Structure formats: structure tokens, C-alpha cells
Amino acid sequence: MNSQTLRRAWIEFFESKGHKHLPGASLVPEAMSSTLFTIAGMEPFVPVFLGEAPPPAPRVVTVQRCLRVAGAKSDIENVGRTGRHGTFLEMLGNFSFGDYYKREAIAWAWEFVTGRLGVDKERLYVTVHTSDDEAQEIWEREIGLAPNRISRWDEDNFWTMGPTGPCGPCSEIFYDLGPNAASGPDDTGPNKGDRYLEIWNLVFQQYNRTPDGKLHDLPKKAIDTGAGLERVLTVVNGKRSMYETDLFEDIVHAQPNAGATSLSLHEQLVRRRIIADHIRAITFLIADGVYPSNTDRGYVLRFLTRRAIRMGRLLDLPQGFLTELVPAVVASLGDGYPELREAQSRVMAALAEEEQQFNRTLARGSEILAEHIASARASGQRSLDGETVFLLHDTYGFPWELTREVAGEEGLTIDSVGFERLMEQQRERARADASAKRAVVQVGEGDLAAYASEFVGYGGLEADGTVLGILKDGSPVEQLAAGERGQLILDRTSFYAEKGGQIGDHGMIGRDGSWFAVDDAQFVGDAIAHTGSVERGTIHRGDRVHTAVDPAWRREIRRHHTSAHLLQRALKDVLGDEVVQAGSWVGVDRMRFDFRWPAGSLTEEQRTRVSERVNEMIRADHHLVTDELPIAEARKSGAIMMHGEKYGEVVRVVHAGPSVEFCGGTHAHTTGELGLFVILSESSVGSGARRIESCVSKAAEHYVEQQQRLIGALGTTLAARPDEIADRIARLQEEVRTLQRALGDMRAKLAASDAAELLEHAETIGDSKLVAAALPGFDRRAVTAMMNAVRGGLQSGVVALAGVSDDEVSLLVGVSDDLVARGIKAGELLGAMAPHVDGRGGGRPNLAQGGGKNPAGVPQALAAVREALLARR
């Protein structure tokens, strides 16, 4: 039986038992989930278990893709080495939401395994929770299982998704792989080793664990069963390892032949299996809208990608091999997940970009890591210091887990405490930056739990509503008087709350001579909080009020939002359908559009064609049409949807000529309203991601007028016609570069004489020489020349130089080989200097370089080198 047949057999069996088949959810869970990825088949149904959402049907069957790479359910360390562990897995699930319970769940599980799949009953064993006499009795009396084939466990048979949420006792079915699979003489039953393979877990969901650790009864008892497709497939085909099934063998066979490698045949097979596992996870992650980055889900994707690439390097596989495996994954899983076929080109484009980026840094990073490993072993150390791990992570893109793995292969550990300290310092800097950003509405827990606001602003700018609640400084109050700021929550409003990248509306809320000026509108749960201040009179809770959105504000936002739709259509028309929206921001005077495009920056010709295409659609003056459709029908319409976005059962589909998208924002009545589209900038916002900032309408007219005035002023200053300005500036720039090169050459020639003076003033710290100097007016080229000159006259010692040019600091530290052997590293000394100039850097043990933006800190930076050397005396 192959994987496709098993998948279909599962669905058909439970459909025959009255279950509704639902498609699996994304690997990216709902926003309120406590997990980074979907890790269990039941996860999409957590709100149903808790009574917070109605069940989609009393009985449901699914095949759910899951990813387990971190936390309590991580299998990453054993991937490829055991026959049962992987990061990406498919969970076969059947669910009952207050319908059937233990008796039916157990009976159907046994019927499917022994009847439909034909698994030998004599090789099946089960476990139940120590408190679950009911399950034990069902297995014995109704299924006919001998008591000696049933064992009872406590924690092993109480299933939880995490520290909080739905949970309950469970009963697991195990398959006996035989004596040859035993881990040892004590491997005589389930949960005692590798001989007995768990293939099905029947969870009897009946509790909700709260943050205080207490268990509370769920509104209704439920059934949540999970059978790992990979493990079931292993058993059905008489294999001992899931890597021997079609799910993995097809991908292993698709890999290129190994080149020059010192790995044994067994270790080569392990690496190939790791690659097969990881490319399955990588393909689904990108298909589900996750892209490589240095944070959260993107970091996990980057780690898996770079780990797989490194495995390929150990096998001497050609560059780009990982991207070429995507079609094999799609061929293997496309029957169960048709969306993979649609996403194949997008997945390959994103993965190719990540492969190219990592290959550019892998060689250099590997060289530096090898040097540090050699240095550590030569000095008798058993661990790589945290600074080295951080340098590789921060500068060369080496995930720390990968550094740990490489070091472990060489018999070394890593200083994870020191690494985490440096990471925390970096996070603190990021938090400090974030604290300066725009604040959002904050309310107390439960203050708005009972409130919901109806948005009626699609049809007009004005509406009547009732004030349901008032917040001042985040706390509920009964009224707001003139001069006071706060938030009003209404039952009905014409104000659009910030969502989908479109900022909130401005305007007025009033009643009987009292006026509240709104300067923002934000969702807080299902309620819309109107932020602003009372300009006149008093607003009370319970007042009937009239809402009026500023027409000029809404008009310009509508036009800029519509331009986002036209821009996406133009990008796809010009660059291809692999362009995928990654985010947007719509304001009153500009629009920002982020998109995935692996080919790098747009050429001048591509920018021109995109701009021309948008303006063609504007001149066509298409009337916008909005349809509200069931999600399934909307998908069939071919409308563009945002990857990773959560949609309800009914969605708004907006037609703007050739542009058709899912969108809940506000839009122009016709594309002609936009008048003119202008691209303001195009830039990178991460690996494979680009950003276009643009404007339309009045903002575009204003921008064109500004540019005309600027060109006129430049022409006057340069004594050139508008068409001559670019050439004139180019000649001036070349003249400046020529003068700068001449100045640099002069400084380099003078470095020898200046070096002699620095050597005369060398300090003696212990038995080491230190030359530490600030070099005003020295750029990096001049500092490097000075370093070479000073090191040429210093047989043994440390040289620390800080050049300052145009408010930029260039740091360079050199350490003689004899001092390196004694444990003095240039990178560590540079690490002591860099924070004082708001900088960073790294390098080899004998030479490190960096930079910063705070020239005032240079004296402290040089003093830090002295202190570091004094500390080693």
C-alpha cells in the first residue's frame, strides 16, 4: 500500500461512519495558538473543544500536516537516525464534538487497523491511563484483547498539546516490530524501547488546563484521535522504518549521486534521509506562506534549509540540489495536497534564493568555524565560546543549532549561556528601538469581551450608533468631558478600523452639540475602538451618537488602497505569477507594498513597465465591483488571496478590471479616480522580499510638482539643461572619487612614518605590547594601511586602531601569532571595543575588523582593549 492509497482509505472509512471530511489547515496556526506551528491534528479545533466556536459537524475526519521542530514534541535530534522520527508529518485524525465517545472510537480504530488495513492482531498492544478503567474494560470485553496485551501508564497516557488547553487521558495502539528491533533485554512492552511502535493515539478530551495548572471540565467530552500516516504506512508494508516507504524513498532516489565524501555508506544514508525529511517540511512551509528570515517561523525554515544544505555539502552534492528536489516532493504529496502543485514555482523560486544566499556565506563561515574549532582543540578547550557562536549566527547566518551540530561532530560543545547572553543584549536593543514606535490601544482583560461593533462604512461615510463603552487610560469610565482623550466603542460605526494594512479612519462622533474628534480606529477583539478627544461637551456611555468620517481622508485612503490591487496585478503581469504579496500599508498620502520576488531588485525597465501597466489600468477607468462569496466559490473564481491570511466562511472579492482579489478594505468607485500612479522607491526588506512605495491622486500630483521644482533648481546650480543634469553630476562624482583615491594613496604612503611614531609610544601590559590609537580622518582603507605598517614593525603584541571619517568609525584589531596561541583573540578584543561606538564586527583570531557610528566613543573603545588585556595578567 502506498501513501496515497492509505490517505484515501482513511478518509473513505470514516466518511462511511458519518464523518465530514475537512481539508487540513495550514502549518501556520491561528493567531491565538500557543504553538509556532500546527503540531497536532486537533489544533485547528481547539476553539471548538473549549466551546468558543461551533463545531463544523458532529463528526469530522482530516489529514493534517504538522511540524515539530521545537519544544516538548520536537523530534529534530532523531531525524534520519531512527525509523520513526521526522520534523514534518501527516496526522490522520477523526473527531467527535460531543457525539460519540470511547466505545465507538476504540471499536472503529480496531476495525480500521485490523480489518481495512489487515494488520496482524497478534502483534498489536495497547496502553491506557492508570485511572481509565472504562477504556480497559472496552478493550478487554468488547474488543477481546487479553489483559496481558494492555498496560497502564500515567503521564505517558495523558495527552496535552502544551502547558495549557484541552487535554485528557488517552489510549494508544502499538505494533510489535519483533525481537530484532528491541533496544535491549528490558524492551518487553510499549514505552520501554524501540521494539513497540506507537501507531494510533485515541485521546479522550475532557479537560481544559488553565495557566495555574488546574483542570476544568470541557463543555462537552470529545474524541481526538491521531494516527501518524508515516508510521501506519511503515507497519502496513512490513517495514521497520518509515524512511523505507514511498514517502521518503522517492525523494531519496531523486537526490544526485554523492561526490567525494569521507562518510560511510550508513552515514551517507542518514544524511540523505535528513535531506528528504527537511525538504518535505521546507516545501510545505513556503507553500503555506512562510519565508526564510531571522525570526520566528522564518528562522525555523532558514534553519531547516541550511541544515539540509550542509548535509548536501557533506555528501558533495552540487549547488542548487535542494531546490531541484521540490518537484519530487510535489509528486509524492500532490495527490493529497493539490495546492502544492499550484505553489511549486513559488516554492522553488524562494528556495533557490535562500540556497544562493547561504552558499555565498557558507564557505566563509565554515572556514571561520573550522579555525575556531582548531584553536579550541589546540588550547585544550572542550567548548566554543559564546562570542564565536554569536559571530557565526549574526554575521554569517549560521543558526546556532548548526554550529552546535558541527562542533559536536568534532567532540566540542558550545557555550550556549554566553551565546544567549549576547542574543539577549541584541534583543534588548531591538526592544528599545521598538519602544519608540507607535503605541496601540491597550485595554484590561475582559473590558471589551462582551462588545462587538458592526462596520457599516462600505455604503457611506455616516451612521448612527450607541456608545457601548468608554475607555480612559485603558480603564472603563462612564463619560469623557471636553479636553479628555480616550476610546469610544460603538455598536455600529462608519469608521474603518485598521486592518489588512489600511490605516484607521479620521473624523467626528457627535450628539446634541458634543463632539469627539477621532484620530484613529483600531480593532480590539470584535470591538472597534475610536481613539481621540472630546472637543466640546460631554460623551456618556449609552448615548446615541452620529459618526461622520472625514471625506477627504477616506477618499485618499480608498484610492491608495485600490492602487495596491492594481500594483499587484501589474507586478504579476510584468514579472510573472511567482510574485506573491507579503504585506502592505495604506495611508492617506502613500502606499507601501511588500512582495516576494527572488530575482532581486527590479531593473529600470521593469520599474517603468510596472508603472506604465498600473497607469494603463487607471486610464481604462474600470468600475470596481465587490462580491460577497462563500470561501470555496471565491477560491474557484481565481481571485488572488494573501498567503497565511485567515479567512471566514464568506469573503469579499474585489474586481478592479483585470485585478481580482480577496479584500475587506475600502476602495475607489472607479480606477480612473486614482488619476496618476508614481513609484517613489523600490528596495529590499529581507531575503527574497522587495518593497515598493508609491502614491496616487493628489499625493502623486504634489510629488511630480516637487520633482519639477527640484530639477529646475539643479539645472540652475549646475548650469545645465534638464537632460544634461545626470551627466553633469556623474562627472562631478568621478572627480570627487579621483581626489579621494589620491588622498588615500597619500595617507597610505605616510602610514610608514606615522607607524614609527605609534610604535615609539607602544604600551607594555604585562609581557605584551599594545599599540592603541585613534586616527582622525582615516577611512577603512587608510586604517588598513596603518595596521599593515604597524604590524610590520611589531614582532609580538596587539594593535588596536580606530579610524574616524565622515562620522563613521573603522575598527581594526591585530594580534601576533604567539599571543593567539596564549588565548588572546582579536575577535574578543574587537567585541570589547564595538559597543562603545555603537558598532559590531568580527574576524579571525589574529585579525578582526568592525565599524560603528559613534565617534565620541572611540576613547572608551581603546580603553576597553587595555582593560581586556589587563584582565588576562
Side-chain angles (χ1 to χ4, degrees):
M1 179 181 286
N2 64 24
S3 56
Q4 295 176 5
T5 303
L6 175 57
R7 230 181 261 115
R8 286 195 296 268
W10 174 269
I11 294 168
E12 291 169 359
F13 176 83
F14 281 101
E15 282 182 329
S16 74
K17 304 296 184 183
H19 291 63
K20 179 180 181 180
H21 175 220
L22 295 180
S26 166
L27 283 177
V28 179
E30 296 288 342
M32 296 305 293
S33 173
S34 60
T35 63
L36 198 60
F37 299 103
T38 301
I39 64 169
M42 55 76 68
E43 191 165 350
F45 303 114
V46 169
V48 179
F49 289 133
L50 296 176
E52 298 172 352
R59 303 177 181 184
V60 167
V61 58
T62 66
V63 180
Q64 176 60 50
R65 52 191 180 271
C66 301
L67 190 71
R68 298 177 179 178
V69 291
K73 299 193 181 297
S74 171
D75 295 324
I76 188 72
E77 299 296 338
N78 295 316
V79 169
R81 296 194 174 278
T82 73
R84 61 183 71 186
H85 290 104
T87 58
F88 174 83
L89 63 138
E90 296 177 77
M91 193 60 68
L92 307 170
N94 61 286
F95 304 89
S96 165
F97 305 111
D99 188 37
Y100 63 85
Y101 202 46
K102 293 181 183 179
R103 175 169 285 102
E104 294 86 347
I106 290 173
W108 291 337
W110 189 256
E111 179 184 347
F112 183 77
V113 172
T114 62
R116 180 64 181 82
L117 301 183
V119 176
D120 184 359
K121 298 178 182 179
E122 299 305 313
R123 301 185 72 167
L124 296 176
Y125 293 74
V126 302
T127 61
V128 298
H129 191 256
T130 51
S131 66
D132 199 348
D133 295 335
E134 181 185 1
Q136 172 101 18
E137 184 175 328
I138 293 171
W139 281 115
E140 288 185 22
R141 295 188 180 183
E142 301 186 24
I143 303 301
L145 207 60
N148 64 355
R149 303 261 293 285
I150 305 171
S151 56
R152 301 182 72 153
W153 301 80
D154 188 5
E155 291 185 3
D156 285 326
N157 277 96
F158 193 90
W159 194 92
T160 63
M161 188 178 74
T164 62
C167 55
C170 64
S171 180
E172 296 172 305
I173 302 176
F174 287 78
Y175 180 81
D176 182 5
L177 295 173
N180 292 335
S183 303
D186 295 329
D187 191 355
T188 58
N191 295 326
K192 294 184 177 180
D194 294 336
R195 174 173 173 174
Y196 297 84
L197 178 68
E198 178 217 327
I199 60 171
W200 200 328
N201 188 3
L202 309 167
V203 182
F204 311 125
Q205 298 280 11
Q206 61 187 86
Y207 302 114
N208 176 30
R209 176 174 281 157
T210 50
D212 59 9
K214 294 181 179 179
L215 298 178
H216 305 272
D217 289 339
L218 292 174
K220 294 180 180 179
K221 292 182 178 180
I223 288 295
D224 153 29
T225 83
L229 181 142
E230 294 82 1
R231 293 189 178 189
V232 173
L233 193 63
T234 301
V235 168
V236 171
N237 287 286
K239 307 293 186 180
R240 287 180 52 182
S241 168
M242 68 182 188
Y243 291 101
E244 297 171 358
T245 67
D246 67 280
L247 285 170
F248 294 92
E249 285 200 327
D250 291 350
I251 302 174
V252 168
H253 292 155
Q255 296 174 29
N257 294 328
T261 176
S262 60
L263 296 175
S264 67
L265 290 177
H266 171 72
E267 285 300 315
Q268 288 184 45
L269 182 58
V270 168
R271 265 55 178 200
R272 288 190 181 278
R273 288 175 169 177
I274 292 173
I275 291 170
D277 170 84
H278 286 11
I279 189 59
R280 281 159 42 94
I282 290 163
T283 299
F284 264 102
L285 281 170
I286 298 175
D288 280 344
V290 178
Y291 289 88
S293 70
N294 289 326
T295 58
D296 299 329
R297 299 181 183 96
Y299 175 79
V300 174
L301 172 58
R302 173 160 285 170
F303 164 65
L304 290 173
T305 302
R306 296 188 169 188
R307 188 169 189 253
I309 293 172
R310 181 176 172 272
M311 296 300 157
R313 291 289 288 263
L314 293 174
L315 294 169
D316 194 28
L317 300 185
Q319 290 190 7
F321 79 92
L322 199 59
T323 299
E324 296 305 316
L325 291 178
V326 172
V329 177
V330 174
S332 171
L333 295 166
D335 182 67
Y337 305 93
E339 62 268 31
L340 283 185
R341 296 191 181 100
E342 299 174 10
Q344 179 173 322
S345 62
R346 177 167 57 86
V347 172
M348 293 183 71
L351 186 53
E353 170 68 16
E354 180 66 9
E355 278 202 85
Q356 292 166 9
Q357 179 176 329
F358 188 45
N359 282 326
R360 288 193 291 267
T361 61
L362 182 60
R364 180 62 181 140
S366 297
E367 178 185 336
I368 291 175
L369 178 55
E371 289 177 358
H372 282 279
I373 288 175
S375 176
R377 297 180 74 173
S379 59
Q381 299 176 28
R382 303 295 298 170
S383 176
L384 285 181
D385 57 79
E387 289 82 1
T388 297
V389 180
F390 181 78
L391 168 68
L392 288 163
H393 167 83
D394 199 46
T395 304
Y396 296 99
F398 260 64
W400 70 268
E401 299 94 335
L402 192 55
T403 300
R404 180 184 63 184
E405 187 171 311
V406 176
E409 292 171 357
E410 299 292 334
L412 299 177
T413 61
I414 65 169
D415 175 15
S416 56
V417 175
F419 168 74
E420 182 55 36
R421 183 184 67 252
L422 293 170
M423 284 296 294
E424 182 58 31
Q425 291 174 3
Q426 187 180 68
R427 285 191 286 265
E428 283 292 341
R429 290 192 294 270
R431 281 193 285 267
D433 291 341
S435 66
K437 299 187 186 296
R438 178 177 176 269
V440 299
V441 177
Q442 299 283 335
V443 298
E445 181 73 24
D447 289 338
L448 301 181
Y451 296 149
S453 303
E454 179 188 3
F455 173 65
V456 294
Y458 289 127
L461 300 177
E462 300 186 22
D464 294 312
T466 300
V467 179
L468 300 178
I470 303 176
L471 298 174
K472 180 181 178 182
D473 298 326
S475 299
V477 295
E478 289 298 311
Q479 65 180 40
L480 284 177
E484 292 184 313
R485 282 189 63 80
Q487 290 88 36
L488 304 184
I489 294 87
L490 312 183
D491 62 342
R492 296 176 76 253
T493 178
S494 56
F495 282 80
Y496 185 88
E498 182 170 335
K499 189 177 182 181
Q502 179 176 324
I503 63 174
D505 280 332
H506 287 196
M508 301 292 290
I509 296 176
R511 68 155 194 99
D512 299 332
S514 296
W515 292 101
F516 180 87
V518 179
D519 53 43
D520 194 14
Q522 296 278 335
F523 270 109
V524 184
D526 292 329
I528 294 178
H530 305 74
T531 301
S533 57
V534 179
E535 291 194 347
R536 188 171 64 186
T538 303
I539 302 291
H540 303 82
R541 188 166 68 87
D543 282 348
R544 287 289 293 172
V545 293
H546 186 74
T547 66
V549 176
D550 181 341
W553 180 272
R554 172 74 73 81
R555 181 184 63 243
E556 295 305 309
I557 287 179
R558 285 192 297 104
R559 291 173 177 175
H560 280 91
H561 193 141
T562 304
S563 75
H565 290 234
L566 303 187
L567 176 58
Q568 176 159 216
R569 182 67 268 159
L571 286 167
K572 287 181 176 289
D573 289 346
V574 173
L575 305 179
D577 283 334
E578 59 266 37
V579 168
V580 177
Q581 182 178 353
S584 65
W585 179 87
V586 178
V588 72
D589 59 355
R590 68 180 52 213
M591 186 273 293
R592 186 172 67 222
F593 189 87
D594 296 344
F595 61 100
R596 294 285 169 185
W597 168 244
S601 61
L602 272 62
T603 65
E604 192 62 38
E605 179 187 358
Q606 288 170 331
R607 281 185 56 162
T608 299
R609 289 174 59 199
V610 168
S611 183
E612 288 176 347
R613 181 71 181 108
V614 174
N615 281 304
E616 283 175 7
M617 289 184 279
I618 290 174
R619 288 192 297 273
D621 198 22
H622 298 289
H623 282 263
L624 273 76
V625 177
T626 301
D627 296 322
E628 291 194 356
L629 300 173
I631 183 70
E633 185 178 342
R635 290 179 190 274
K636 293 177 183 177
S637 72
I640 298 172
M641 57 187 295
M642 182 85 168
H643 288 281
E645 188 74 14
K646 309 301 181 184
Y647 295 100
E649 289 298 315
V650 177
V651 297
R652 288 169 55 86
V653 177
V654 178
H655 302 254
S659 168
V660 185
E661 296 188 23
F662 289 22
C663 189
T666 61
H667 305 87
H669 301 298
T670 70
T671 59
E673 281 187 38
L674 279 59
L676 174 67
F677 171 85
V678 176
I679 293 178
L680 302 176
S681 66
E682 188 263 336
S683 60
S684 171
V685 287
S687 175
R690 309 297 300 176
R691 170 174 292 169
I692 286 178
E693 293 199 35
S694 60
C695 60
V696 294
S697 190
K698 290 186 175 181
E701 294 172 8
H702 180 64
Y703 176 79
V704 170
E705 291 169 359
Q706 279 186 321
Q707 296 304 300
Q708 289 176 332
R709 286 195 294 270
L710 176 61
I711 290 172
L714 285 172
T716 300
T717 301
L718 298 172
R721 296 194 307 270
D723 60 342
E724 298 174 335
I725 290 175
D727 289 339
R728 179 65 178 132
I729 292 176
R731 288 199 300 272
L732 289 173
Q733 288 176 323
E734 182 56 35
E735 291 173 9
V736 170
R737 283 192 291 267
T738 300
L739 291 172
Q740 288 175 332
R741 284 194 294 269
L743 181 60
D745 291 340
M746 185 180 298
R747 283 184 173 146
K749 292 175 183 177
L750 294 173
S753 59
D754 292 340
E757 183 178 349
L758 292 179
L759 286 166
E760 288 180 9
H761 295 87
E763 305 174 50
T764 300
I765 299 179
D767 56 354
S768 304
K769 293 285 188 180
L770 169 65
V771 175
L775 305 173
F778 276 57
D779 59 14
R780 181 164 300 283
R781 187 163 176 247
V783 173
T784 301
M786 181 65 77
M787 171 63 73
N788 293 335
V790 174
R791 293 183 79 184
L794 187 69
Q795 292 185 347
S796 174
V798 174
V799 183
L801 304 177
V804 179
S805 177
D806 295 331
D807 291 328
E808 296 283 338
V809 180
S810 299
L811 301 177
L812 207 56
V813 177
V815 179
S816 58
D817 292 339
D818 61 314
L819 296 187
V820 170
R822 287 163 50 186
I824 300 176
K825 298 178 182 178
E828 293 179 358
L829 296 177
L830 187 79
M833 298 176 71
H836 296 287
V837 294
D838 298 337
R840 54 190 286 186
R844 301 187 300 275
N846 64 340
L847 184 65
Q849 62 181 346
K853 298 182 179 298
N854 178 23
V858 166
Q860 293 91 336
L862 296 173
V865 177
R866 296 186 185 93
E867 293 171 4
L869 292 175
L870 285 169
R872 300 185 63 88
R873 292 176 57 185

